[in-house]
């Protein structure tokens, strides 16, 4: 304790009158006023007030005696009914006073940490038991799940065997519950409980008086799991035990800190300190806060007190000496001689005290969450109650005492921050908001970082030494996915498309759903803000020397590298155990975005030139390839580059041969009204921006992408449920109207109503889940930040591409992450306002995206065909959404390179995607189709550009036409072979493999699409067939003959017989559908031959073109809706059938 520090603290500026220490009541004498101030500070009363004031001054010794007497009285009052445990046997309990996992009992490869209170399995199955057993009474302990996989939690005797296959619950006299499999275990298993999630707190309660064992999840009792637990016999002493599968981990609390959800009648295995310990610590903390609160100086001449002088407060000297007395009692309470006693006192006394202060600070500035005014309130500001309390502790306690308390406090706050949005009986979001708020406040006004890292050798710690701290940060960034039950509690009302048809369902209420989602979104925004602030503090904490591998000299960069190294296995087909929860990576991704977003979207006056930002490609991509081993990093080890493996690139294009000077990347100014994150005090410089963007893309690809895919899957599931619901509703209406389908009995309507209820519940669940995910992934500034950062990365890649071989050193995940982000923004529309978040894009930014994908989906520098295919799919997906075709038609790269690249890329891997894309753009003018350019999604411009591309490159066109013939020949041959297989199985009366007709339908659809493409070429470039190489005409005749012989000639009986089987998978297969484009080919060539025209042709004269089905009107190629995937059959072939019938 430093007297100088106390004097300096207590000599600060006066506080407001409301915080002064003298009594507000009018005293009879000045001495009574000063005495009342001491009463307020020390919590003493008149019986302990003898001699406190002598000659108008505070007698410090008398005050110290009064404080000692008050503490002794408090001890007697608080501990009146307390019985201190003696020895190792305490009323049914056997074992030491400190309860932990017994390392000697552990079986399997596992890691015990945090004082043997955390267990992680490193092998197939690991088990351990505690060092304490019970044989009578009612006892409990709690387990906080670090992961949500297979874990068996319970109680077991010493006779329970632990090995690689058996654990708790697999033997007699051992009982366990596994929330992953939702089963209880005692030799055999049976259903019990509900699914658990990472961050859940599981209470394990054993009542040996009743012979019952039960479990509690997040304060909710799950019911009695076992009712006949053997007891009161030889060897029937039960140990807390757990068995954990590989990669799973959890933390246990046997009573070392207060239980999160104590149950009435059950005791923790580790006895808490005497109640007086907490009571005395709370009294002393309040006294220290009052003494730390600045007070007005005494009026001149008021010391000593004179008759008629105004009442005064305590002088700085008096407050300094009194604080020293308070700290002398407080230090031993917060840091008792037994270290294992410290967590309980800190959590039971210091944590609620500081939590109350930060809640008072925040609510005074804007109300409690989730009120919007709370968003701008910052915890721990100078002069706040939290700041004053920390300053008082810092000045009063020894440094080791303060650091020990702060480290314990931080560890517990990080665990509390994993709470879900719905703690029992608490407002939405408060379970995570307040711990995060206090953590941010402590970072702002206390030496929290050094306190947490003082045992890791700060300021020069190793990566392994920092691991416990980083795991605590992961807990703070964790966002637990609510269960369906929790989502119903958050959003009791729900609304979705078509809900108006079900007024009888009480949970369908649009205003109620909107209000609930707004409340939930407000809570998510508040938690987001605190998590972003936490990461900002980590970014502002810098290493005193050097850099950390490829990252920045900041604690945040070291944490991100820790996440990257830990989660590299996420990109494997079979993921290893021990990976971070995806929500941690999502939060980290947005934290990185929040740091760089304001720098990437500058606000500029009208007409001002756009600034540029430097990007150091050497630092990011080739830093670890240098010759100096001390500077080599490992950030990208194991990641493939666009140009192949690093070893290959170093040989073919060594870094020494490249231009590695920084490239200048133009920035895109923020559009008016664009949402921005709150301004930052110390924004990152441009060198930091490059590293942060790099890390953001890696983190997104490693795990954040899974959250966005979950959102997309949820939207697809909702769409499917709504479609099925509408279909059932139509069937119910038909039955009510008296139309009963053939073969259906009187119970059919009941069956439909039950199905309707199922689809309603599915739609409600998908709607709630989608609302939760949307609030977390697309709330407030996030879509704009995702686009801004991704666009900056795209512009960076365009600049690197201009450097030639340098592009090859870019990791593949750059492209994969960018395409995923743009697809996520494209598909996550804003209902009733915008069809896609990509409409937030600046037109120039959208043009950059189009330029990049068009220029690189057939770039020879990208050696991985999967990456090129992903870029090609990005082109197709952008064109599939309304409004983007016009942007493509304005893009110079698209006009000059799209069609030639598509023709050149038509190979064994991409032909199906390219065929679908080409048909979307050139749809129209074929046999039975509307005139060109009338269908949505088709383009007269690109029709002409495709024709020009064929004319301008005869060799390329010849190669494309050859591949087109070969591919169409293959699809038709496959279709005929599978039709024969289905037909022969039907003749023999054998069951047909369901995969065969599905594949036949797929080949049929692909054949139609390829034939439509051939029809376009015959119409636009007839000279290639009747005046070009004779091989083209020969192959065309052979192909037409083969198809006609199996569809209209003698071989058509096989097709007709197969279709007569009326298989569901073949319902869209018909002869006219395939003949329509072939008729178009022959008619076009015939028209050219007899008209003498070799190039441009008029549309075929049809007396009355058949009406188009909806799919064809929407712009689907070949009269059929373009499939979402090459492996799926198209949905609208019926429009072609009509055309073929007329032909």
């Amino acid at each position: 304790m430093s007297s100088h520090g106390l004097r300096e603290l207590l000599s600060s500026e006066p506080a407001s009158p409301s915080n002064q220490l003298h009594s507000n009541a009018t005293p009879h004498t000045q001495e009574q006023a000063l005495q009342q101030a001491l009463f307020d500070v020390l919590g003493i009363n008149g019986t302990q007030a003898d001699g406190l004031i002598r000659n108008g001054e505070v007698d410090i010794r008398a005050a110290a005696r009064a404080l000692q007497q008050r503490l002794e009285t408090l001890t007697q009052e608080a501990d009146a009914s307390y019985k201190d445990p003696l020895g190792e046997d305490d009323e049914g309990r056997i074992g030491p006073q400190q309860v932990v996992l017994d390392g000697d009992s552990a079986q399997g490869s596992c890691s015990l940490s945090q004082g043997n209170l955390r267990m992680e399995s490193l092998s197939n199955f690991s088990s351990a038991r505690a060092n304490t057993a019970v044989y009578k009474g009612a006892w409990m302990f709690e387990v906080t799940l670090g992961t949500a996989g297979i874990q068996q939690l319970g109680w077991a005797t010493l006779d329970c065997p632990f090995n690689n296959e058996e654990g708790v619950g697999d033997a007699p006299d051992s009982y366990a519950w596994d929330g992953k499999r939702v089963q209880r275990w005692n030799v055999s298993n049976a259903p019990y409980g509900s699914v658990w999630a990472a961050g859940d707190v599981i209470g394990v309660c054993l009542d040996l008086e009743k012979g019952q064992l039960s479990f509690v999840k997040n304060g909710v009792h799950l019911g009695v799991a076992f009712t006949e637990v053997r007891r009161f016999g030889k060897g029937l002493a039960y140990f807390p035990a757990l068995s954990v599968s590989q990669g799973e981990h959890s933390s246990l609390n046997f009573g070392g800190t207060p239980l999160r959800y104590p149950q009435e009648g059950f005791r923790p295995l580790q006895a808490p300190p005497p109640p007086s310990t907490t009571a005395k610590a709370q009294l002393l903390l309040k006294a220290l806060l009052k003494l730390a609160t600045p007070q007005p100086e005494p009026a001149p001449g008021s010391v000593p007190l004179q008759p008629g002088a105004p009442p005064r407060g305590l002088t700085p000297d008096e407050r300094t000496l009194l604080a020293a007395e308070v700290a002398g009692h407080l230090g031993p309470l917060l840091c008792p001689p037994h270290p294992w006693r410290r967590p309980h006192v800190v959590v039971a006394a210091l944590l609620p005290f500081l939590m109350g202060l930060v809640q008072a600070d925040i609510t005074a500035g804007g109300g409690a969450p989730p009120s919007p005014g709370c968003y701008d309130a910052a915890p721990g500001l100078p002069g706040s109650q939290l700041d004053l309390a920390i300053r008082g502790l810092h000045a009063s306690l020894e440094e080791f005492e303060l650091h020990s308390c702060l480290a314990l406090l931080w560890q517990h706050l990080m665990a509390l921050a994993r709470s879900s949005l719905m703690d029992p009986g608490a407002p939405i979001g408060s379970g995570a908001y307040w711990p995060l708020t206090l953590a941010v406040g402590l970072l702002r006004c206390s030496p929290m970082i050094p306190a947490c890292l003082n045992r890791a050798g700060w300021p020069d710690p190793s990566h392994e030494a920092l691991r416990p701290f980083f795991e605590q940060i992961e807990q703070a960034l964790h966002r637990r996915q609510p269960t369906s039950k929790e989502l119903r509690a958050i959003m009791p009302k729900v609304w979705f498309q078509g809900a108006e048809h079900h007024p009888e369902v009480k949970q369908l209420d649009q205003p109620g759903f909107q209000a609930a989602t707004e409340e939930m979104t407000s809570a998510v925004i508040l938690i987001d803000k605190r998590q972003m602030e936490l990461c900002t503090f980590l970014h502002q904490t810098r290493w005193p020397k050097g850099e950390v591998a490829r990252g920045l000299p900041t604690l945040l960069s070291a944490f991100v590298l820790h996440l990257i190294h830990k989660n590299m296995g996420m990109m494997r087909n079979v993921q290893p155990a021990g990976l971070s929860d995806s929500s941690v990576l999502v939060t980290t991704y947005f934290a990185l975005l929040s740091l760089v977003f304001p720098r990437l979207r500058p606000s500029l006056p009208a007409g001002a030139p756009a600034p540029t930002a430097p990007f150091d490609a050497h630092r990011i991509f080739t830093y670890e390839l240098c010759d100096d081993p001390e500077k080599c990093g490992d950030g990208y080890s194991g990641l493939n580059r666009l140009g192949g493996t690093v070893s290959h690139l170093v040989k073919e294009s060594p870094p020494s041969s490249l231009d590695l000077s920084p490239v200048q990347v133009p920035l895109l100014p923020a559009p008016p009204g664009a949402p921005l994150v709150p301004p930052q005090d110390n924004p990152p410089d441009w060198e930091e921006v490059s590293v942060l963007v790099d890390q953001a893309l890696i983190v997104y690809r490693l795990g954040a992408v899974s959250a966005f895919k979950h959102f997309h899957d949820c939207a697809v599931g909702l769409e499917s449920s709504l479609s099925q619901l509408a279909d059932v509703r139509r069937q119910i209406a038909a039955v009510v109207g008296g139309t009963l389908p053939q073969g259906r009995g009187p119970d059919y309507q009941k069956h439909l109503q039950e199905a309707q209820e199922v689809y309603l519940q599915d739609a409600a669940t998908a709607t709630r889940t989608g609302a939760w995910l949307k609030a977390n992934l697309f709330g407030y500034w996030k879509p704009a930040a995702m686009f801004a950062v991704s666009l900056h990365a795209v512009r960076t890649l365009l600049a690197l591409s201009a450097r030639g071989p340098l592009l090859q050193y870019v990791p593949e995940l750059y492209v994969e992450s960018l395409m995923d982000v743009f697809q996520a923004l494209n598909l996550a529309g804003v209902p009733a306002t915008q069809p896609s978040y990509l409409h937030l894009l600046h037109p120039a930014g959208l043009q950059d995206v189009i330029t990049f994908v068009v220029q690189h989906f057939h770039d020879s520098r990208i050696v991985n065909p999967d990456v090129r295919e992903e870029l090609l799919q990005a082109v197709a997906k952008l064109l599939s959404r309304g409004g983007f075709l016009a942007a493509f038609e304005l893009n110079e790269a698209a006009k000059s390179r799209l069609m030639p690249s598509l023709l050149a890329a038509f190979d064994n891997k991409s032909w199906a995607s390219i065929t679908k894309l080409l048909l979307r753009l050139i749809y129209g003018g074929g046999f039975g189709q509307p005139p060109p350019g009338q269908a949505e999604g088709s383009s007269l411009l690109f029709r002409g550009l495709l024709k020009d591309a064929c004319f301008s490159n005869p060799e390329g066109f010849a190669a494309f036409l050859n591949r087109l013939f070969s591919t169409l020949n293959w699809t038709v041959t496959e279709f005929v072979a599978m039709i024969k297989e289905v037909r022969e199985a039907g003749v023999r009366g054998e069951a047909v493999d369901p995969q065969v007709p599905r594949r036949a339908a797929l080949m049929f659809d692909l054949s139609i699409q390829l034939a439509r493409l051939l029809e376009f070429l015959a119409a636009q470039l007839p000279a290639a067939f009747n005046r070009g190489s004779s091989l083209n005409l020969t192959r065309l005749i052979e192909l037409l003959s083969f198809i006609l012989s199996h569809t209209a000639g003698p071989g058509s009986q096989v097709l007709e017989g197969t279709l007569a089987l009326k298989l569901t998978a073949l319902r869209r297969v018909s002869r006219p559908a395939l003949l329509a484009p072939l008729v178009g080919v022959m008619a076009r060539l015939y028209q050219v031959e007899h008209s003498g025209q070799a190039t441009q042709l008029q549309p075929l004269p049809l007396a009355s073109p058949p009406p188009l089905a909806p799919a064809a009107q929407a712009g689907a190629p070949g009269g059929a809706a373009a499939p979402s995937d090459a492996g799926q059959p198209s949905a609208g072939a019926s429009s072609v059938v009509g055309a073929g019938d007329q032909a």
Side-chain angles (χ1 to χ4, degrees), residues 1028-1045:
S1029 170
S1030 60
L1031 180 61
N1032 291 340
L1033 186 58
T1034 300
R1035 297 194 67 178
L1036 177 61
I1037 294 174
E1038 291 176 349
L1039 178 65
L1040 294 176
S1041 299
F1042 180 81
I1043 296 176
L1044 291 174
S1045 66

Side-chain angles (χ1 to χ4, degrees), residues 163-398:
N163 53 51
N164 287 334
E165 296 182 355
E166 294 179 311
V168 188
D170 296 326
D173 300 324
S174 70
Y175 307 86
W177 175 50
D178 177 6
K180 169 66 174 179
R181 294 173 289 185
V182 197
Q183 298 282 315
R184 56 182 174 88
W185 301 81
N186 174 233
V187 182
S188 61
N189 57 298
Y192 174 81
S194 57
V195 177
W196 62 28
D200 284 346
V201 179
I202 308 300
V204 189
C205 307
L206 176 63
D207 187 341
L208 289 173
E209 302 303 318
K210 298 179 180 179
Q212 296 179 349
L213 196 154
S214 56
F215 296 86
V216 178
K217 186 177 77 169
N218 299 328
V220 178
H221 199 281
L222 301 180
V224 177
F226 303 98
T227 58
E228 298 181 359
V229 177
R230 290 210 312 146
R231 60 200 192 280
F232 309 140
K234 182 178 180 180
L236 294 180
Y238 289 90
F239 294 79
L242 74 164
S243 299
V244 183
S245 62
Q246 186 172 14
E248 306 298 323
H249 62 87
S250 288
S251 300
L252 297 94
N253 180 14
F254 299 107
T257 59
L259 297 176
R260 287 281 301 277
Y261 304 105
Q263 300 298 300
E264 184 178 356
F266 290 85
R267 291 191 293 165
L269 279 83
Q270 181 171 315
S276 61
T277 302
T278 302
K280 291 186 290 187
Q282 292 172 339
L283 183 146
L284 294 169
L285 286 167
K286 292 177 182 178
L288 192 62
L289 173 63
K290 292 180 179 179
L291 290 170
T293 303
Q295 301 296 314
E297 294 289 341
S302 62
V303 181
L305 289 173
Q306 301 293 329
R312 69 171 177 85
L314 299 172
T315 66
D317 286 342
E318 291 169 342
R319 288 189 289 132
T320 299
L321 295 173
L322 287 173
E325 294 294 334
V326 170
H329 292 285
L330 181 60
L333 290 174
L334 294 178
C335 298
H338 299 294
W340 52 274
R341 288 287 197 189
R342 295 177 188 174
H344 198 287
V345 181
V346 169
V347 174
L350 183 59
L351 175 60
F353 172 72
L354 297 179
M355 191 71 78
L357 296 183
V358 77
Q359 289 178 348
D361 290 337
I362 296 297
T363 54
S371 65
C374 212
Y375 183 80
D376 296 323
L381 293 175
S384 65
Q385 294 190 64
L386 178 63
D387 175 60
L388 294 173
I390 293 299
R391 292 170 65 192
L393 288 171
H394 190 267
S396 303
L397 299 179
E398 298 290 349

